[in-house]
Amino acid sequence: ASIMRDVVNGGIRMGGYAAVVRELHQRVPWGAPSGAEAPAFGTRVLAGLLTGFTGAILANPTDVVKVRLQAEAGTVSGGVYVTGLYKGSAPSPGAVVSMWQLAAREGVAKGLFRGVGPSCARAALVTSGQMSSYDQTKQALAASGLGLFQHEGARIAFASFVSGITAATVAAPVDLVKSRVMDDARASATAAAGPSYRGALDCALRTVQAEGPLALWKGWVPSYLRLGPHFMCSLPLLEFLRSQVFGLQTL
């Protein structure tokens, strides 16, 4: 499920970013119709929001299944979990079958696209923070005149590091809300009660009321430890594929 999600979501939000920036640069009021000037930071932010939002909508079914399968951690004995959150329940089948069963049991809108709002918000923020900060950092380093950063490889490495910090910080609140909302229906069904949250906003407000504002940034360190290395690998790989395989300019 995780691979399926990343192929769809990551392919759109990272693969489509440069094309969207180029198109927006020629159309937004603050852009340059001729495309001669470098895109403004606002253009890059908007492009990240659009590609992230689009990728998240299309990948939401795989995201829901991934979250629920991950929540099933426990020891299986006799065909059922004997430990964990779903003690006494049978393990779910594979990702594709789970997706089909989820649609049949809970419907498309309330099942496969449950939590699509926070999921899209999270993806939009992550992509906007990741790609715009990466793009802008590379441009600033190139114009800085610093000897080390006159090499493309050094700019890519440092900009990738900055993009991971930025993305983890801006997306942390939505990431927490998204996970809680997505797993809410199943957890409440196991407890024979109704859903705990009325939506993403209700989840965020109740989290702040019960645990304080900083609760929205719970798990920032493990989140960065996941996103940071991911971006340190994926962004240089993206640049390599663009320049060496497809003959395109680097970002």
Side-chain angles (χ1 to χ4, degrees):
S2 182
I3 293 176
M4 291 169 59
R5 172 191 177 275
D6 284 341
V7 167
V8 177
N9 191 13
I12 293 174
R13 67 185 185 85
M14 293 181 67
Y17 171 78
V20 174
V21 168
R22 186 169 58 251
E23 192 67 24
L24 287 175
H25 184 46
Q26 299 176 7
R27 296 179 183 275
V28 294
W30 60 85
S34 65
E37 301 175 9
F41 181 64
T43 303
R44 293 166 174 156
V45 170
L46 181 57
L49 290 171
L50 289 174
T51 55
F53 188 86
T54 303
I57 290 178
L58 298 178
N60 198 78
T62 60
D63 210 5
V64 174
V65 171
K66 177 183 76 73
V67 168
R68 295 193 178 190
L69 290 178
Q70 288 175 336
E72 287 189 4
T75 302
V76 178
S77 179
V80 298
Y81 285 109
V82 294
T83 61
L85 294 174
Y86 300 106
K87 182 178 179 180
S89 301
S92 296
V96 176
V97 177
S98 293
M99 200 179 304
W100 181 270
Q101 291 179 347
L102 179 62
R105 185 173 60 250
E106 300 181 28
V108 174
K110 294 185 177 180
L112 294 180
F113 286 91
R114 181 174 183 83
V116 69
S119 181
C120 287
R122 187 256 183 198
L125 289 173
V126 166
T127 307
S128 182
Q130 172 198 1
M131 300 305 296
S132 64
S133 63
Y134 174 79
D135 216 355
Q136 194 72 18
T137 300
K138 274 190 65 181
Q139 181 183 345
L141 292 175
S144 68
L146 297 175
L148 174 63
F149 294 118
Q150 297 312 299
H151 300 281
E152 179 73 1
R155 292 198 297 270
I156 290 174
F158 189 78
S160 299
F161 171 73
V162 172
S163 74
I165 293 177
T166 306
T169 301
V170 300
V174 183
D175 210 6
L176 180 137
V177 170
K178 182 203 72 167
S179 296
R180 292 190 177 187
V181 169
M182 279 186 171
D183 198 49
D184 182 35
R186 184 170 179 179
S188 60
T190 304
S196 301
Y197 306 115
R198 294 191 299 271
L201 182 59
D202 179 59
C203 178
L205 290 175
R206 291 174 61 178
T207 298
V208 171
Q209 290 172 355
E211 306 171 46
L214 292 180
L216 294 175
W217 279 270
K218 276 185 176 179
W220 185 93
V221 172
S223 177
Y224 174 74
L225 291 177
R226 180 179 70 86
L227 291 174
H230 172 66
F231 293 162
M232 289 290 290
C233 294
S234 62
L235 289 170
L237 178 60
L238 174 66
E239 297 281 33
F240 174 81
L241 291 175
R242 286 181 60 85
S243 61
Q244 303 300 318
V245 178
F246 298 107
L248 301 172
Q249 289 184 341
T250 57
L251 294 176

